[in-house]
Every structure is written in structure tokens, then in C-alpha cells.
Short mmCIF file of all heavy atoms in Angstrom, two decimals:
data_model
loop_
_atom_site.label_atom_id
_atom_site.label_comp_id
_atom_site.label_asym_id
_atom_site.label_seq_id
_atom_site.Cartn_x
_atom_site.Cartn_y
_atom_site.Cartn_z
N MET R 1 7.66 69.08 272.98
CA MET R 1 6.48 69.85 273.27
C MET R 1 5.34 69.33 272.40
O MET R 1 5.50 69.07 271.23
CB MET R 1 6.76 71.32 272.98
CG MET R 1 5.58 72.20 273.34
SD MET R 1 5.88 73.90 272.87
CE MET R 1 6.22 74.58 274.45
N ALA R 2 4.18 69.23 272.99
CA ALA R 2 3.02 68.70 272.28
C ALA R 2 2.45 69.76 271.34
O ALA R 2 2.47 70.95 271.64
CB ALA R 2 1.97 68.26 273.27
N LYS R 3 1.95 69.30 270.20
CA LYS R 3 1.31 70.21 269.25
C LYS R 3 -0.12 70.48 269.70
O LYS R 3 -0.79 69.63 270.25
CB LYS R 3 1.28 69.59 267.85
CG LYS R 3 2.62 69.43 267.20
CD LYS R 3 2.42 68.87 265.82
CE LYS R 3 3.75 68.69 265.13
NZ LYS R 3 3.57 68.12 263.79
N ASN R 4 -0.59 71.70 269.44
CA ASN R 4 -1.98 72.03 269.72
C ASN R 4 -2.86 71.43 268.64
O ASN R 4 -2.54 71.49 267.46
CB ASN R 4 -2.19 73.55 269.75
CG ASN R 4 -1.60 74.19 270.97
OD1 ASN R 4 -1.42 73.54 271.99
ND2 ASN R 4 -1.29 75.46 270.88
N ASN R 5 -3.93 70.84 269.05
CA ASN R 5 -4.87 70.24 268.12
C ASN R 5 -5.89 71.32 267.74
O ASN R 5 -6.68 71.75 268.56
CB ASN R 5 -5.57 69.06 268.79
CG ASN R 5 -6.46 68.30 267.84
OD1 ASN R 5 -6.74 68.77 266.74
ND2 ASN R 5 -6.93 67.14 268.28
N PRO R 6 -5.89 71.80 266.48
CA PRO R 6 -6.80 72.89 266.10
C PRO R 6 -8.27 72.51 266.20
O PRO R 6 -9.12 73.35 266.47
CB PRO R 6 -6.41 73.22 264.66
CG PRO R 6 -5.60 72.09 264.18
CD PRO R 6 -5.03 71.40 265.38
N VAL R 7 -8.57 71.23 266.00
CA VAL R 7 -9.96 70.80 266.11
C VAL R 7 -10.42 70.89 267.56
O VAL R 7 -11.52 71.36 267.86
CB VAL R 7 -10.13 69.36 265.57
CG1 VAL R 7 -11.54 68.85 265.82
CG2 VAL R 7 -9.79 69.30 264.10
N LEU R 8 -9.57 70.48 268.49
CA LEU R 8 -9.89 70.53 269.90
C LEU R 8 -10.07 71.98 270.36
O LEU R 8 -11.01 72.29 271.09
CB LEU R 8 -8.81 69.84 270.73
CG LEU R 8 -9.03 69.77 272.23
CD1 LEU R 8 -10.29 68.97 272.53
CD2 LEU R 8 -7.83 69.14 272.90
N ILE R 9 -9.21 72.86 269.89
CA ILE R 9 -9.31 74.27 270.26
C ILE R 9 -10.62 74.85 269.70
O ILE R 9 -11.32 75.60 270.39
CB ILE R 9 -8.08 75.06 269.75
CG1 ILE R 9 -6.84 74.61 270.52
CG2 ILE R 9 -8.30 76.55 269.90
CD1 ILE R 9 -5.55 75.18 269.98
N ARG R 10 -10.95 74.52 268.48
CA ARG R 10 -12.19 75.03 267.87
C ARG R 10 -13.41 74.54 268.64
O ARG R 10 -14.35 75.29 268.86
CB ARG R 10 -12.25 74.58 266.40
CG ARG R 10 -13.46 75.04 265.67
CD ARG R 10 -13.41 76.52 265.44
NE ARG R 10 -14.61 76.91 264.71
CZ ARG R 10 -15.15 78.08 264.78
NH1 ARG R 10 -14.60 79.02 265.50
NH2 ARG R 10 -16.22 78.35 264.09
N ASN R 11 -13.40 73.27 269.05
CA ASN R 11 -14.53 72.73 269.81
C ASN R 11 -14.66 73.44 271.16
O ASN R 11 -15.77 73.70 271.61
CB ASN R 11 -14.37 71.23 270.02
CG ASN R 11 -14.61 70.45 268.74
OD1 ASN R 11 -15.21 70.96 267.80
ND2 ASN R 11 -14.13 69.22 268.72
N GLU R 12 -13.54 73.73 271.80
CA GLU R 12 -13.59 74.44 273.07
C GLU R 12 -14.13 75.85 272.88
O GLU R 12 -14.90 76.35 273.70
CB GLU R 12 -12.20 74.49 273.71
CG GLU R 12 -11.74 73.16 274.25
CD GLU R 12 -10.33 73.21 274.81
OE1 GLU R 12 -9.75 74.32 274.86
OE2 GLU R 12 -9.81 72.15 275.19
N GLU R 13 -13.75 76.51 271.80
CA GLU R 13 -14.26 77.85 271.51
C GLU R 13 -15.77 77.81 271.26
O GLU R 13 -16.51 78.67 271.75
CB GLU R 13 -13.55 78.46 270.31
CG GLU R 13 -12.11 78.82 270.57
CD GLU R 13 -11.38 79.26 269.30
OE1 GLU R 13 -11.99 79.20 268.21
OE2 GLU R 13 -10.23 79.65 269.42
N ASP R 14 -16.23 76.82 270.52
CA ASP R 14 -17.67 76.66 270.27
C ASP R 14 -18.42 76.39 271.58
O ASP R 14 -19.50 76.94 271.81
CB ASP R 14 -17.94 75.52 269.29
CG ASP R 14 -17.52 75.85 267.88
OD1 ASP R 14 -17.36 77.06 267.58
OD2 ASP R 14 -17.35 74.91 267.08
N GLU R 15 -17.81 75.56 272.42
CA GLU R 15 -18.45 75.25 273.70
C GLU R 15 -18.53 76.49 274.59
O GLU R 15 -19.57 76.75 275.21
CB GLU R 15 -17.67 74.14 274.39
CG GLU R 15 -18.29 73.67 275.68
CD GLU R 15 -17.52 72.52 276.30
OE1 GLU R 15 -16.82 71.79 275.58
OE2 GLU R 15 -17.64 72.37 277.52
N GLN R 16 -17.46 77.26 274.65
CA GLN R 16 -17.47 78.48 275.45
C GLN R 16 -18.48 79.48 274.92
O GLN R 16 -19.17 80.15 275.70
CB GLN R 16 -16.07 79.12 275.48
CG GLN R 16 -15.07 78.35 276.30
CD GLN R 16 -15.44 78.32 277.76
OE1 GLN R 16 -15.96 79.28 278.31
NE2 GLN R 16 -15.18 77.19 278.39
N ARG R 17 -18.60 79.59 273.62
CA ARG R 17 -19.58 80.49 273.02
C ARG R 17 -21.00 80.05 273.37
O ARG R 17 -21.85 80.86 273.71
CB ARG R 17 -19.39 80.53 271.50
CG ARG R 17 -20.24 81.58 270.81
CD ARG R 17 -20.00 81.64 269.31
NE ARG R 17 -18.60 81.78 268.96
CZ ARG R 17 -17.89 80.86 268.30
NH1 ARG R 17 -18.47 79.73 267.91
NH2 ARG R 17 -16.62 81.06 268.01
N GLN R 18 -21.26 78.75 273.32
CA GLN R 18 -22.59 78.23 273.65
C GLN R 18 -22.91 78.44 275.14
O GLN R 18 -24.02 78.81 275.48
CB GLN R 18 -22.68 76.74 273.30
CG GLN R 18 -24.04 76.16 273.52
CD GLN R 18 -25.08 76.76 272.59
OE1 GLN R 18 -24.79 77.00 271.42
NE2 GLN R 18 -26.25 77.01 273.10
N VAL R 19 -21.93 78.21 276.00
CA VAL R 19 -22.14 78.41 277.43
C VAL R 19 -22.43 79.88 277.71
O VAL R 19 -23.33 80.21 278.49
CB VAL R 19 -20.91 77.92 278.23
CG1 VAL R 19 -20.97 78.40 279.67
CG2 VAL R 19 -20.81 76.41 278.18
N ARG R 20 -21.69 80.78 277.09
CA ARG R 20 -21.91 82.22 277.27
C ARG R 20 -23.31 82.60 276.78
O ARG R 20 -24.03 83.35 277.44
CB ARG R 20 -20.84 83.00 276.51
CG ARG R 20 -20.82 84.47 276.85
CD ARG R 20 -19.68 85.21 276.15
NE ARG R 20 -18.42 84.49 276.15
CZ ARG R 20 -17.79 84.06 275.05
NH1 ARG R 20 -18.30 84.28 273.86
NH2 ARG R 20 -16.64 83.42 275.14
N HIS R 21 -23.71 82.07 275.64
CA HIS R 21 -25.05 82.35 275.09
C HIS R 21 -26.14 81.84 276.04
O HIS R 21 -27.11 82.54 276.30
CB HIS R 21 -25.18 81.69 273.72
CG HIS R 21 -26.53 81.87 273.11
ND1 HIS R 21 -27.53 80.94 273.26
CD2 HIS R 21 -27.06 82.87 272.36
CE1 HIS R 21 -28.61 81.35 272.64
NE2 HIS R 21 -28.35 82.52 272.08
N ASP R 22 -25.98 80.62 276.54
CA ASP R 22 -26.97 80.05 277.45
C ASP R 22 -27.04 80.84 278.76
O ASP R 22 -28.12 81.05 279.30
CB ASP R 22 -26.65 78.59 277.75
CG ASP R 22 -26.88 77.69 276.55
OD1 ASP R 22 -27.55 78.13 275.60
OD2 ASP R 22 -26.37 76.55 276.57
N LEU R 23 -25.90 81.28 279.27
CA LEU R 23 -25.89 82.06 280.50
C LEU R 23 -26.61 83.38 280.32
O LEU R 23 -27.43 83.78 281.16
CB LEU R 23 -24.44 82.30 280.96
CG LEU R 23 -24.28 83.14 282.22
CD1 LEU R 23 -24.87 82.42 283.42
CD2 LEU R 23 -22.83 83.46 282.45
N ILE R 24 -26.36 84.06 279.22
CA ILE R 24 -27.04 85.32 278.95
C ILE R 24 -28.54 85.10 278.80
O ILE R 24 -29.35 85.86 279.32
CB ILE R 24 -26.44 85.99 277.69
CG1 ILE R 24 -25.02 86.47 277.98
CG2 ILE R 24 -27.30 87.15 277.21
CD1 ILE R 24 -24.25 86.91 276.76
N PHE R 25 -28.93 84.03 278.14
CA PHE R 25 -30.34 83.71 277.96
C PHE R 25 -31.02 83.44 279.30
O PHE R 25 -32.11 83.96 279.58
CB PHE R 25 -30.49 82.50 277.03
CG PHE R 25 -31.91 82.06 276.85
CD1 PHE R 25 -32.78 82.79 276.06
CD2 PHE R 25 -32.37 80.91 277.47
CE1 PHE R 25 -34.09 82.39 275.90
CE2 PHE R 25 -33.67 80.50 277.31
CZ PHE R 25 -34.54 81.24 276.52
N VAL R 26 -30.39 82.65 280.16
CA VAL R 26 -30.98 82.30 281.45
C VAL R 26 -31.09 83.54 282.34
O VAL R 26 -32.12 83.75 282.99
CB VAL R 26 -30.15 81.19 282.13
CG1 VAL R 26 -30.53 81.04 283.60
CG2 VAL R 26 -30.33 79.88 281.41
N VAL R 27 -30.06 84.36 282.37
CA VAL R 27 -30.11 85.58 283.19
C VAL R 27 -31.20 86.52 282.68
O VAL R 27 -31.96 87.09 283.46
CB VAL R 27 -28.73 86.26 283.22
CG1 VAL R 27 -28.81 87.65 283.83
CG2 VAL R 27 -27.74 85.41 283.99
N THR R 28 -31.31 86.67 281.36
CA THR R 28 -32.35 87.52 280.79
C THR R 28 -33.74 87.01 281.12
O THR R 28 -34.62 87.79 281.52
CB THR R 28 -32.18 87.61 279.26
OG1 THR R 28 -30.87 88.08 278.97
CG2 THR R 28 -33.20 88.53 278.65
N MET R 29 -33.97 85.72 280.98
CA MET R 29 -35.28 85.16 281.30
C MET R 29 -35.60 85.31 282.78
O MET R 29 -36.74 85.61 283.14
CB MET R 29 -35.35 83.69 280.88
CG MET R 29 -35.32 83.47 279.38
SD MET R 29 -36.61 84.35 278.50
CE MET R 29 -38.05 83.51 279.08
N ASN R 30 -34.61 85.13 283.65
CA ASN R 30 -34.84 85.31 285.07
C ASN R 30 -35.20 86.75 285.39
O ASN R 30 -36.07 87.00 286.24
CB ASN R 30 -33.61 84.89 285.88
CG ASN R 30 -33.54 83.40 286.06
OD1 ASN R 30 -34.55 82.71 286.04
ND2 ASN R 30 -32.33 82.89 286.24
N LEU R 31 -34.58 87.71 284.73
CA LEU R 31 -34.92 89.12 284.95
C LEU R 31 -36.33 89.43 284.48
O LEU R 31 -37.07 90.18 285.13
CB LEU R 31 -33.90 90.03 284.26
CG LEU R 31 -32.52 90.08 284.90
CD1 LEU R 31 -31.56 90.90 284.03
CD2 LEU R 31 -32.59 90.64 286.31
N ILE R 32 -36.72 88.84 283.36
CA ILE R 32 -38.09 89.04 282.86
C ILE R 32 -39.10 88.46 283.84
O ILE R 32 -40.10 89.10 284.17
CB ILE R 32 -38.24 88.42 281.45
CG1 ILE R 32 -37.45 89.24 280.44
CG2 ILE R 32 -39.71 88.32 281.04
CD1 ILE R 32 -37.33 88.59 279.08
N PHE R 33 -38.85 87.24 284.33
CA PHE R 33 -39.77 86.62 285.28
C PHE R 33 -39.81 87.39 286.60
O PHE R 33 -40.86 87.51 287.22
CB PHE R 33 -39.41 85.16 285.52
CG PHE R 33 -39.74 84.27 284.36
CD1 PHE R 33 -38.83 83.34 283.91
CD2 PHE R 33 -40.96 84.35 283.71
CE1 PHE R 33 -39.12 82.50 282.84
CE2 PHE R 33 -41.27 83.53 282.64
CZ PHE R 33 -40.34 82.61 282.21
N LEU R 34 -38.67 87.91 287.04
CA LEU R 34 -38.65 88.71 288.26
C LEU R 34 -39.46 89.98 288.09
O LEU R 34 -40.23 90.36 288.98
CB LEU R 34 -37.21 89.05 288.65
CG LEU R 34 -37.05 89.91 289.90
CD1 LEU R 34 -37.57 89.18 291.12
CD2 LEU R 34 -35.60 90.31 290.07
N ALA R 35 -39.32 90.65 286.95
CA ALA R 35 -40.10 91.86 286.69
C ALA R 35 -41.58 91.54 286.64
O ALA R 35 -42.41 92.28 287.19
CB ALA R 35 -39.64 92.49 285.37
N LEU R 36 -41.95 90.42 286.02
CA LEU R 36 -43.35 90.00 285.97
C LEU R 36 -43.89 89.69 287.37
O LEU R 36 -44.99 90.11 287.73
CB LEU R 36 -43.50 88.78 285.06
CG LEU R 36 -44.89 88.21 284.89
CD1 LEU R 36 -45.77 89.21 284.15
CD2 LEU R 36 -44.82 86.90 284.13
N LEU R 37 -43.11 88.99 288.15
CA LEU R 37 -43.52 88.65 289.51
C LEU R 37 -43.69 89.89 290.37
O LEU R 37 -44.69 90.03 291.09
CB LEU R 37 -42.50 87.70 290.14
CG LEU R 37 -42.80 87.20 291.54
CD1 LEU R 37 -44.00 86.27 291.50
CD2 LEU R 37 -41.60 86.49 292.10
N LEU R 38 -42.74 90.81 290.31
CA LEU R 38 -42.86 92.04 291.08
C LEU R 38 -44.02 92.89 290.60
O LEU R 38 -44.73 93.50 291.41
CB LEU R 38 -41.55 92.84 291.01
CG LEU R 38 -40.37 92.25 291.80
CD1 LEU R 38 -39.11 93.04 291.53
CD2 LEU R 38 -40.68 92.18 293.28
N GLY R 39 -44.24 92.93 289.30
CA GLY R 39 -45.37 93.66 288.75
C GLY R 39 -46.69 93.10 289.24
O GLY R 39 -47.59 93.84 289.64
N LEU R 40 -46.82 91.77 289.21
CA LEU R 40 -48.04 91.14 289.72
C LEU R 40 -48.22 91.37 291.21
O LEU R 40 -49.33 91.58 291.69
CB LEU R 40 -48.03 89.64 289.42
CG LEU R 40 -48.38 89.25 287.99
CD1 LEU R 40 -48.18 87.75 287.81
CD2 LEU R 40 -49.80 89.64 287.66
N TYR R 41 -47.13 91.34 291.96
CA TYR R 41 -47.21 91.55 293.40
C TYR R 41 -47.75 92.95 293.71
O TYR R 41 -48.69 93.09 294.50
CB TYR R 41 -45.83 91.36 294.04
CG TYR R 41 -45.79 91.77 295.49
CD1 TYR R 41 -46.36 90.97 296.47
CD2 TYR R 41 -45.19 92.96 295.87
CE1 TYR R 41 -46.34 91.35 297.80
CE2 TYR R 41 -45.16 93.35 297.20
CZ TYR R 41 -45.73 92.54 298.16
OH TYR R 41 -45.70 92.94 299.46
N PHE R 42 -47.17 93.96 293.09
CA PHE R 42 -47.60 95.32 293.39
C PHE R 42 -48.97 95.63 292.79
O PHE R 42 -49.75 96.38 293.38
CB PHE R 42 -46.55 96.34 292.94
CG PHE R 42 -45.34 96.34 293.84
CD1 PHE R 42 -44.12 95.89 293.38
CD2 PHE R 42 -45.44 96.78 295.15
CE1 PHE R 42 -43.01 95.88 294.20
CE2 PHE R 42 -44.34 96.78 295.99
CZ PHE R 42 -43.13 96.33 295.52
N PHE R 43 -49.29 95.04 291.65
CA PHE R 43 -50.62 95.20 291.07
C PHE R 43 -51.66 94.58 291.98
O PHE R 43 -52.72 95.16 292.24
CB PHE R 43 -50.66 94.57 289.68
CG PHE R 43 -52.01 94.62 289.03
CD1 PHE R 43 -52.52 95.80 288.56
CD2 PHE R 43 -52.78 93.46 288.91
CE1 PHE R 43 -53.77 95.85 287.96
CE2 PHE R 43 -54.02 93.49 288.32
CZ PHE R 43 -54.52 94.70 287.84
N ASN R 44 -51.38 93.38 292.50
CA ASN R 44 -52.32 92.71 293.38
C ASN R 44 -52.43 93.43 294.71
O ASN R 44 -53.50 93.46 295.32
CB ASN R 44 -51.90 91.26 293.61
CG ASN R 44 -52.90 90.50 294.43
OD1 ASN R 44 -54.07 90.49 294.09
ND2 ASN R 44 -52.45 89.89 295.51
N ARG R 45 -51.34 94.00 295.16
CA ARG R 45 -51.34 94.70 296.44
C ARG R 45 -52.28 95.91 296.41
O ARG R 45 -52.92 96.22 297.41
CB ARG R 45 -49.91 95.13 296.75
CG ARG R 45 -49.68 95.55 298.14
CD ARG R 45 -48.21 95.72 298.38
NE ARG R 45 -48.01 96.44 299.63
CZ ARG R 45 -46.90 97.00 299.98
NH1 ARG R 45 -45.86 96.95 299.18
NH2 ARG R 45 -46.79 97.63 301.11
N THR R 46 -52.34 96.58 295.28
CA THR R 46 -53.19 97.76 295.19
C THR R 46 -54.63 97.43 294.81
O THR R 46 -55.55 98.09 295.27
CB THR R 46 -52.62 98.78 294.18
OG1 THR R 46 -52.49 98.16 292.92
CG2 THR R 46 -51.27 99.29 294.64
N THR R 47 -54.83 96.43 293.95
CA THR R 47 -56.18 96.16 293.46
C THR R 47 -56.81 94.89 294.01
O THR R 47 -58.03 94.82 294.14
CB THR R 47 -56.19 96.06 291.92
OG1 THR R 47 -55.40 94.94 291.53
CG2 THR R 47 -55.68 97.33 291.28
N GLY R 48 -56.02 93.86 294.28
CA GLY R 48 -56.56 92.59 294.74
C GLY R 48 -57.14 91.74 293.63
O GLY R 48 -57.78 90.72 293.88
N ARG R 49 -56.93 92.13 292.39
CA ARG R 49 -57.53 91.38 291.27
C ARG R 49 -56.90 90.01 291.06
O ARG R 49 -57.58 89.08 290.64
CB ARG R 49 -57.42 92.20 289.98
CG ARG R 49 -58.35 93.36 289.94
CD ARG R 49 -58.31 94.01 288.60
NE ARG R 49 -59.19 95.15 288.55
CZ ARG R 49 -59.32 95.94 287.51
NH1 ARG R 49 -58.59 95.71 286.43
NH2 ARG R 49 -60.15 96.95 287.54
N VAL R 50 -55.61 89.89 291.33
CA VAL R 50 -54.95 88.59 291.14
C VAL R 50 -55.51 87.59 292.14
O VAL R 50 -55.79 86.44 291.79
CB VAL R 50 -53.43 88.73 291.25
CG1 VAL R 50 -52.74 87.38 291.12
CG2 VAL R 50 -52.88 89.70 290.20
N ASP R 51 -55.68 88.01 293.39
CA ASP R 51 -56.27 87.12 294.39
C ASP R 51 -57.68 86.70 294.01
O ASP R 51 -58.05 85.53 294.12
CB ASP R 51 -56.30 87.80 295.76
CG ASP R 51 -54.95 87.81 296.44
OD1 ASP R 51 -54.11 86.98 296.08
OD2 ASP R 51 -54.76 88.65 297.34
N SER R 52 -58.48 87.66 293.57
CA SER R 52 -59.86 87.32 293.20
C SER R 52 -59.88 86.43 291.95
O SER R 52 -60.73 85.53 291.85
CB SER R 52 -60.68 88.58 292.96
OG SER R 52 -60.18 89.31 291.87
N PHE R 53 -58.96 86.63 291.01
CA PHE R 53 -58.91 85.78 289.82
C PHE R 53 -58.61 84.34 290.20
O PHE R 53 -59.31 83.42 289.77
CB PHE R 53 -57.85 86.31 288.84
CG PHE R 53 -57.56 85.37 287.71
CD1 PHE R 53 -58.46 85.24 286.67
CD2 PHE R 53 -56.40 84.61 287.69
CE1 PHE R 53 -58.20 84.37 285.62
CE2 PHE R 53 -56.14 83.74 286.66
CZ PHE R 53 -57.05 83.62 285.61
N PHE R 54 -57.58 84.12 291.02
CA PHE R 54 -57.24 82.76 291.40
C PHE R 54 -58.26 82.17 292.37
O PHE R 54 -58.49 80.96 292.37
CB PHE R 54 -55.82 82.69 291.98
CG PHE R 54 -54.76 82.72 290.92
CD1 PHE R 54 -53.99 83.85 290.71
CD2 PHE R 54 -54.55 81.63 290.10
CE1 PHE R 54 -53.03 83.89 289.72
CE2 PHE R 54 -53.59 81.65 289.10
CZ PHE R 54 -52.83 82.78 288.91
N GLY R 55 -58.88 83.01 293.18
CA GLY R 55 -59.95 82.51 294.04
C GLY R 55 -61.14 82.03 293.22
O GLY R 55 -61.74 81.00 293.52
N HIS R 56 -61.48 82.78 292.18
CA HIS R 56 -62.55 82.36 291.29
C HIS R 56 -62.15 81.14 290.46
O HIS R 56 -62.96 80.22 290.26
CB HIS R 56 -62.92 83.52 290.35
CG HIS R 56 -63.97 83.19 289.36
ND1 HIS R 56 -65.28 82.92 289.71
CD2 HIS R 56 -63.91 83.03 288.01
CE1 HIS R 56 -65.96 82.63 288.63
NE2 HIS R 56 -65.16 82.70 287.57
N LEU R 57 -60.90 81.11 290.01
CA LEU R 57 -60.42 80.00 289.20
C LEU R 57 -60.39 78.70 290.00
O LEU R 57 -60.78 77.64 289.49
CB LEU R 57 -59.02 80.31 288.67
CG LEU R 57 -58.38 79.28 287.75
CD1 LEU R 57 -59.10 79.25 286.41
CD2 LEU R 57 -56.92 79.59 287.54
N LEU R 58 -59.95 78.76 291.25
CA LEU R 58 -59.84 77.56 292.07
C LEU R 58 -61.05 77.33 292.96
O LEU R 58 -61.06 76.42 293.78
CB LEU R 58 -58.57 77.66 292.93
CG LEU R 58 -57.27 77.77 292.14
CD1 LEU R 58 -56.11 78.02 293.08
CD2 LEU R 58 -57.03 76.54 291.30
N LYS R 59 -62.08 78.17 292.83
CA LYS R 59 -63.35 78.04 293.57
C LYS R 59 -63.16 78.10 295.07
O LYS R 59 -63.67 77.29 295.83
CB LYS R 59 -64.06 76.74 293.20
CG LYS R 59 -64.25 76.50 291.73
CD LYS R 59 -65.37 77.31 291.16
CE LYS R 59 -65.69 76.82 289.77
NZ LYS R 59 -65.47 77.79 288.74
N PHE R 60 -62.38 79.10 295.53
CA PHE R 60 -62.20 79.31 296.97
C PHE R 60 -63.32 80.17 297.48
O PHE R 60 -63.77 81.09 296.97
CB PHE R 60 -60.87 79.98 297.29
CG PHE R 60 -59.70 79.07 297.21
CD1 PHE R 60 -58.49 79.51 296.72
CD2 PHE R 60 -59.79 77.75 297.64
CE1 PHE R 60 -57.40 78.68 296.66
CE2 PHE R 60 -58.70 76.92 297.59
CZ PHE R 60 -57.51 77.38 297.09
#
């Protein structure tokens, strides 16, 4: 039976921890951007300020 390599196991644990951290970070950032996008959509829908801002910015 082969011996377990403790260094290899430790590296896999570090890699899994980093992947889990990155996944949580990406999901959190996506939720923040989704909330911002929905907020801008409904804010613009009621006031029209976002359209006028970009129209003025891009000279439409």
C-alpha cells in the first residue's frame, strides 16, 4: 500500500481553501453588481436620470 504524502495532502487542502475563498468572493461580487444593476434599472425607470446622464455624457 502506498504511503500518503503529507506535503501533497497539505497542498490539496490549501488549494481547496483558495478555490472556496475565490468562489465565495465571485458570488458575493456578482450579487453586489446585480443589486446595483437592478437599483439603477428601477431608479432610471421612475426618474429617467440615468438615461439623461448618459445622453449628456455621450452627446446624444
Side-chain angles (χ1 to χ4, degrees):
M1 183 184 255
K3 293 182 180 179
N4 288 336
N5 186 348
V7 174
L8 182 62
I9 292 172
R10 180 70 179 152
N11 287 342
E12 288 177 5
E13 290 173 356
D14 289 342
E15 184 177 335
Q16 289 295 324
R17 188 178 308 115
Q18 185 65 39
V19 168
R20 191 176 318 116
H21 178 267
D22 290 344
L23 179 65
I24 291 170
F25 177 74
V26 166
V27 169
T28 303
M29 292 304 293
N30 280 334
L31 288 174
I32 290 170
F33 288 134
L34 179 64
L36 180 66
L37 182 68
L38 288 174
L40 282 173
Y41 171 75
F42 287 111
F43 177 73
N44 185 53
R45 194 171 166 196
T46 58
T47 64
R49 288 187 181 177
V50 178
D51 283 339
S52 64
F53 170 75
F54 282 106
H56 177 67
L57 182 70
L58 299 174
K59 308 283 191 243
F60 284 143

